[in-house]
Structures are given as C-alpha cells and as structure tokens.
C-alpha cells in the first residue's frame, strides 16, 4: 500500500475515535480523498479508452484482475449507495442524475457479480466522460455529507428500514459474489462505513488501477 495514503488513512481512523480530534480526522480524510481523486483524474489525461478497458491480469486473484473503467464504476457506485441510501437517506446521484442512460451502463449495481470477460465487456459499454461526471458529483456529495457529520453521528447504526429500502432498490446483485455487501454494510455504524467505502476501499482499488496502468502504459 502507498505509504503516504496508508499513514493518512491510519491517522483518520485514530482521530475518529476521539471527539477532540474528530474535526482533524474529517479534514485529513477529505485531503486523502482529494489526493486519490487526482490519481483518477490523471488516468483520464494519460490513458486511451482502450487502456481504460484493458484487463491484463484477467486470471489473477485480486483487485488488479479488473479494468480501470470497471474499478472506477465500482468505487463510486458503492460510495453513492452507502452515502446516500444508507447514511443520509437521500436519492442516489446515479438516479437523480439519470446516469444509467448517460453512462450507457447495462447495470445499476456495484458490479461485484461480474468476473473475467464480463468485466471487460461491461467496461466497453461505458461512456467515460459521463462516468467521470458521475464520480465527480458523487465525491462532492459525499464530501458535503462528511463535513456535516458530528462526532455523535459516528455511532449511528443502519436501521432496518434503510436496509429494506436498499434491498428494494436492487442496486446490489442477488448473486453470491455481491449480496453479502448488504449484510456487511448494515452491520456497521457510520464510523465503520467511513473507514471502508470512503477511504480504504478507494486506496485498494486505485492501487490496483495503478498496477494495471503500469502494465499497459509503462512510462
């Protein structure tokens, strides 16, 4: 793991455990997310559409077995779902912005159910310009939510009503490779959700994207 990102993430988690350091933790998290977003923006200037859809490690075991386009979709569908459907109870950016049609995606889910050539084929359907508009809007919405949180919000659990609403939206596939996510998210409190979808999840997938980039687009 990138040492700077890892250390910042550790600092965020330590700060969120202490009320006196809570604001510092949120500010560090926002800074980390900005740095990670810069990496994604750099892909857009460096890579061709073909390279976004390349899957050089197709048979590998790990996050690098995906495509960069898929990874970006996956990061931000999860963030949109968790931030809006589970934490704030608001409409997902994906739906309010009509992004399914704009991006040209055949799915509305996180994509966990896809594997191998399915991921490569899915990636080729995506309009990258619209995908980047989507991720920018999701990040801005999440950052606004993070800034609005109080320390007491961190211990809030996900309600049964929110879980039922999420299931009704059908944004998580019922496939075994995906449906576990609902239990995973709904057993966490807000602090636990901040730790995974909004920081560490980004780091893991962006590092995998960098590995893909280095294979297909060596400097």
């Amino acid at each position: 793991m990138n040492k700077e990102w890892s250390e910042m993430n550790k600092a965020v988690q330590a700060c969120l455990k202490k009320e006196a350091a809570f604001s510092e933790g949120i500010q560090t998290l926002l800074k980390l997310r900005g740095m990670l977003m810069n990496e994604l923006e750099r892909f857009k200037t460096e890579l061709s559409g073909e390279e976004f859809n390349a899957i050089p490690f197709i048979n590998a075991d790990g996050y690098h077995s995906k495509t960069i386009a898929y990874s970006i979709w996956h990061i931000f569908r999860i963030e949109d779902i968790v931030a809006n459907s589970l934490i704030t109870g608001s409409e997902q950016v994906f739906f309010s912005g009509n992004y399914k049609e704009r991006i040209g995606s055949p799915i509305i889910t996180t994509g966990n159910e896809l594997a191998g050539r399915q991921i490569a084929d899915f990636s080729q359907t995506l309009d990258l310009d619209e995908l980047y508009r989507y991720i920018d809007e999701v990040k801005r919405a999440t950052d606004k939510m993070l800034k609005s949180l109080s320390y007491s919000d961190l211990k809030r659990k996900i309600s049964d009503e929110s879980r039922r609403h999420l299931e009704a939206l059908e944004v998580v596939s019922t496939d075994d490779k995906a449906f576990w996510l609902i239990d995973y998210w709904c057993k966490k409190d807000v602090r636990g959700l901040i730790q995974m979808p909004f920081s560490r999840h980004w780091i893991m997938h962006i590092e995998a994207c960098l590995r893909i980039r280095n294979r297909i687009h060596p400097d």
Side-chain angles (χ1 to χ4, degrees):
M1 184 179 285
N2 177 291
K3 186 174 181 181
E4 183 178 14
W5 299 346
S6 177
E7 290 304 314
M8 289 179 72
N9 188 47
K10 288 178 183 177
V12 169
Q13 306 317 320
C15 287
L16 295 184
K17 293 176 181 177
K18 305 172 185 176
E19 187 168 7
F22 169 72
S23 294
E24 179 185 348
I26 294 295
Q27 290 306 311
T28 303
L29 174 57
L30 294 170
K31 182 179 179 181
L32 172 60
R33 286 165 55 82
M35 292 168 63
L36 293 168
M37 191 68 166
N38 287 342
E39 292 293 330
L40 297 181
E41 293 290 348
R42 190 154 62 92
F43 291 149
K44 194 177 182 188
T45 63
E46 287 182 347
L47 304 179
S48 67
E50 184 177 337
E51 288 170 325
F52 268 96
N53 300 335
I55 190 164
F57 301 104
I58 189 169
N59 294 316
D61 182 17
Y63 293 125
H64 60 294
S65 66
K66 323 297 183 184
T67 69
I68 292 174
Y70 166 92
S71 299
I72 293 172
W73 167 275
H74 175 74
I75 292 168
F76 286 90
R77 282 304 290 127
I78 283 182
E79 176 154 318
D80 194 7
I81 291 165
V82 171
N84 293 303
S85 293
L86 291 181
I87 295 179
T88 67
S90 54
E91 187 176 17
Q92 290 175 33
V93 171
F94 187 76
F95 296 121
S96 64
N98 195 33
Y99 276 106
K100 183 179 189 297
E101 288 73 20
R102 289 168 61 179
I103 296 171
S105 172
I107 64 174
I108 65 172
T109 62
T110 65
N112 286 67
E113 68 275 16
L114 304 179
R117 290 308 311 174
Q118 291 176 318
I119 289 174
D121 293 343
F122 164 74
S123 300
Q124 292 174 4
T125 70
L126 305 179
D127 182 313
L128 290 173
D129 288 334
E130 291 295 343
L131 178 61
Y132 267 84
R133 290 186 184 97
Y134 172 61
I135 72 172
D136 180 66
E137 194 172 343
V138 171
K139 179 181 179 294
R140 284 189 283 109
T142 301
D143 287 353
K144 182 179 179 181
M145 180 271 291
L146 291 169
K147 292 174 186 177
S148 75
L149 289 175
S150 66
Y151 180 73
S152 61
D153 289 326
L154 298 183
K155 295 182 180 180
R156 178 161 54 85
K157 299 283 190 179
I158 302 304
S159 69
D160 291 340
E161 182 181 0
S162 294
R163 180 189 176 113
R164 287 192 295 270
H165 174 64
L166 175 60
E167 291 175 345
L169 290 173
E170 298 183 341
V171 292
V172 177
S173 169
T174 55
D175 186 282
D176 288 345
K177 295 192 292 291
F179 201 65
W180 62 270
L181 281 169
I182 293 179
D183 273 340
Y184 178 80
W185 294 330
C186 292
K187 288 179 179 177
K188 290 183 177 292
D189 56 15
V190 170
R191 176 164 45 213
L193 293 173
I194 289 174
Q195 181 176 2
M196 191 55 181
F198 306 150
S199 53
R200 188 165 174 263
H201 191 240
W202 280 46
I203 293 172
M204 294 187 300
H205 280 284
I206 291 173
E207 288 192 329
C209 288
L210 288 168
R211 186 170 176 181
I212 295 168
R213 192 280 309 271
N214 293 341
R215 170 61 67 90
I216 63 177
H217 192 89
D219 294 331

